[in-house]
Amino acid sequence: MTNPVRTTDFKDKKRRGEKIVMLTAYDANMARLLDRAGIDAILVGDSLGMVVLGYPTTVQVTMDAIVHHTAAVSRGTSHALVVADMPFLSYQIEAAEALRNAKRLMQDGGAAAVKLEGGKPVLDVVKRLVDIGVPVMGHVGLLPQAVHQAGGFVRQATTPREADELLVDAIALEEAGAFAIVLEAIPSDVARAVTHELAIPTIGIGAGPECDGQILVSSDMLGLFDGTIPSFVRQYAHLKETVVTATQAYIDDVRAGRFGRRTPLPDRESTPTS
Ligand code: KIV
C-alpha cells in the first residue's frame, strides 16, 4: 500500500481534481477491510451511537466511547487518514476542554484529525485547535448533534438566506484553519457553490455529486444497518440479509446435529504445520 494519507493531501487532491473517498468505521476489523480496499480516510463518526450502540441519536455518544472506538479503528488502519468526531458538548463548553478532548482522541485514540459540527459558534475553538496543531474537519448543513433543535434529521439550506448563511460559515471555517468541510443534507446547487468558493475540499453526504469528496456511513452503504437509511444512500451490498441467512443456516446445522462444520473436528485441534 502507498504512504499514509495526510490532512495536507486533501487540499492537494482538490487542486489536482481528484475525488476524496471517505467512509465511517467503528472497529478494527472493518477499518482493516476499508483500508485494504484503498479508502482515503475513515471517520470514527458519532453515528457510532446510532449504528453500533443502539441510541436514537448521536447526542448520547460520550468521549469515552469515541476514544475507545477510535483506538480500535487506528489499530486496523495503516493507509487511510483516521478522523475522530468530537461528541456533543465535548467542544462547545470551553476551549480548554475542547483541547483536552482533542488530546485524548489523538493520544489515546490515535486519530490524526478531529471533526466538529457547526459554523459561527465554533470558530474560536476551531482556531485554537488549529493554532496548536490539531487538524480540524468542519461540518455544516444538517448537524445531527442539533437534531432536537432542528426538529429531526431535516434537509438544510433550502432557502436562499439559509444557503448564504451556510456559505458564510464554510468560508469562516476555512479562514479558521479547517482542512476540509463535511456538507450534510443540503441541495446540490448550494454544495456546488460552496465547493467552488473554497480552496479546501468539501466532503458531501446527501449533498449531490459536485463536492470534492463523498462520505457515507459504512453500514448504510453495505446494507448492514437494520434501521432507517437515508434515501440518498446507494447500497453496494446487502449484508443484513447475508447475516440473517448465514445465521439461519448455522441454526439449522446445529439443530440437525451437523454442528455447523463441513469437516469433522479431529480429536484434538492441531496447528497446521505446512
Ligand atoms: O457521524 C458521522 O458518521 C458523520 C458523517 C455522517 C459525516 O458525521
Side-chain angles (χ1 to χ4, degrees):
M1 191 57 86
T2 49
N3 292 333
V5 178
R6 303 191 183 282
T7 55
T8 46
D9 295 327
F10 270 51
K11 213 165 169 180
D12 294 343
K13 277 180 181 288
K14 173 159 182 154
R15 221 176 287 125
R16 291 196 297 266
E18 281 172 32
K19 293 282 188 189
I20 297 161
V21 196
M22 292 187 65
L23 280 169
T24 65
Y26 317 97
D27 64 70
N29 190 59
M30 182 61 83
R32 205 174 295 125
L33 297 178
L34 304 184
D35 201 54
R36 192 186 302 160
I39 202 82
D40 293 316
I42 295 177
L43 172 70
V44 189
D46 58 3
S47 48
L48 166 75
M50 299 173 76
V51 300
V52 175
L53 302 180
Y55 291 122
T57 73
T58 62
V59 170
Q60 291 83 0
V61 174
T62 61
M63 271 306 298
D64 284 349
I66 284 276
V67 170
H68 181 72
H69 287 268
T70 302
V73 166
S74 296
R75 286 193 289 273
T77 308
S78 56
H79 168 74
L81 180 83
V82 175
V83 183
D85 245 342
M86 299 201 71
F88 182 55
L89 292 186
S90 69
Y91 53 95
Q92 297 95 331
I93 296 168
E94 55 177 32
E97 192 176 1
L99 301 192
R100 273 194 297 275
N101 286 330
K103 168 185 186 288
R104 288 188 66 196
L105 291 168
M106 296 180 83
Q107 288 189 332
D108 305 338
V114 302
K115 176 169 84 57
L116 49 82
E117 295 184 7
K120 203 162 168 232
V122 299
L123 290 178
D124 285 347
V125 88
V126 172
K127 274 198 206 102
R128 281 296 301 281
L129 288 165
V130 172
D131 280 352
I132 58 154
V134 176
V136 176
M137 180 175 277
H139 183 154
V140 295
L142 195 167
L143 306 178
Q145 293 176 9
V147 60
H148 296 303
Q149 194 172 47
F153 296 103
V154 280
R155 218 164 161 67
Q156 300 293 310
T158 52
T159 65
R161 192 172 63 84
E162 286 170 3
D164 285 348
E165 283 169 7
L166 186 137
L167 179 60
V168 169
D169 276 348
I171 292 171
L173 282 166
E174 173 167 65
E175 285 170 358
F179 73 94
I181 301 184
V182 169
L183 305 179
E184 180 161 358
I186 62 171
S188 49
D189 58 330
V190 178
R192 187 197 315 125
V194 175
T195 301
H196 182 74
E197 204 60 41
L198 301 185
I200 57 169
T202 57
I203 311 293
I205 173 162
E210 290 178 64
C211 298
D212 299 303
Q214 297 288 334
I215 183 165
L216 286 176
V217 170
S218 52
S219 44
D220 289 350
M221 183 279 273
L222 295 169
L224 185 59
F225 181 52
D226 191 29
T228 309
I229 292 180
S231 56
F232 58 78
V233 174
R234 175 165 170 201
Q235 293 191 306
Y236 290 81
H238 300 281
L239 299 189
K240 189 167 69 170
E241 283 78 12
T242 305
V243 170
V244 174
T245 309
T247 305
Q248 283 167 344
Y250 168 65
I251 291 169
D252 289 349
D253 269 357
V254 173
R255 287 188 181 149
R258 292 189 294 268
F259 304 110
R261 279 188 83 108
R262 283 187 192 285
T263 46
L265 273 175
D267 284 347
R268 198 159 41 90
E269 283 281 17
S270 58
T271 312
T273 48
S274 61

